[in-house]
């Protein structure tokens, strides 16, 4: 769980992180999250799906590959890994 939290903190947007926490940790439904945000359920689902794809991608790497990938992503973005503009 510690690795997942690290990935969430470093790689997910604030919206993705919030969606994952509400859905998996607070047991909110997609409909509840959508209503809270004033968006369509499909929008919430796509946000959650994108977040889970990122998490899964990093979980499949070993630790050295993870660090190498994180560093290369940072270089491409030109700043910190959690770029809220993307």
């Amino acid at each position: 769980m510690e690795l997942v939290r690290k990935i969430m903190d470093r790689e997910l947007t604030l919206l993705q992180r919030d969606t994952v926490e509400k859905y998996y940790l607070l047991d909110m439904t997609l409909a509840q999250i959508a209503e809270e945000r004033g968006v369509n359920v499909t929008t919430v689902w796509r946000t959650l799906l994108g977040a889970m794809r990122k998490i899964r991608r990093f979980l499949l790497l070993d630790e050295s590959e993870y660090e190498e990938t994180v560093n290369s992503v940072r270089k491409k973005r030109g700043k910190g890994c959690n770029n809220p503009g993307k």
Side-chain angles (χ1 to χ4, degrees):
M1 188 65 183
E2 182 180 327
L3 179 58
V4 172
R5 176 55 72 182
K6 188 176 182 180
I7 294 167
M8 286 176 60
D9 289 343
R10 293 174 92 179
E11 300 304 321
L12 301 186
T13 66
L14 294 175
L15 185 63
Q16 287 174 326
R17 190 175 328 134
D18 182 66
T19 304
V20 169
E21 289 173 350
K22 286 180 177 174
Y23 187 76
Y24 288 106
L25 302 177
L26 299 179
D27 292 323
M28 290 177 70
T29 65
L30 296 175
Q32 289 170 325
I33 299 168
E35 184 177 333
E36 180 182 272
R37 293 182 184 161
V39 298
N40 190 293
V41 173
T42 304
T43 302
V44 177
W45 172 246
R46 287 181 182 149
T47 302
L48 183 62
L49 185 61
M52 297 311 296
R53 284 181 176 152
K54 283 183 182 180
I55 291 169
R56 186 180 316 112
R57 182 178 72 228
F58 282 98
L59 285 176
L60 294 175
L61 302 174
D62 68 33
E63 191 164 336
S64 65
E65 289 176 315
Y66 172 78
E67 290 301 324
E68 183 179 317
T69 302
V70 168
N71 290 334
S72 71
V73 169
R74 282 185 183 150
K75 287 177 187 173
K76 285 181 186 175
R77 289 184 183 163
K79 49 181 151 182
C81 249
N82 195 5
N83 185 351
K86 294 215 172 196

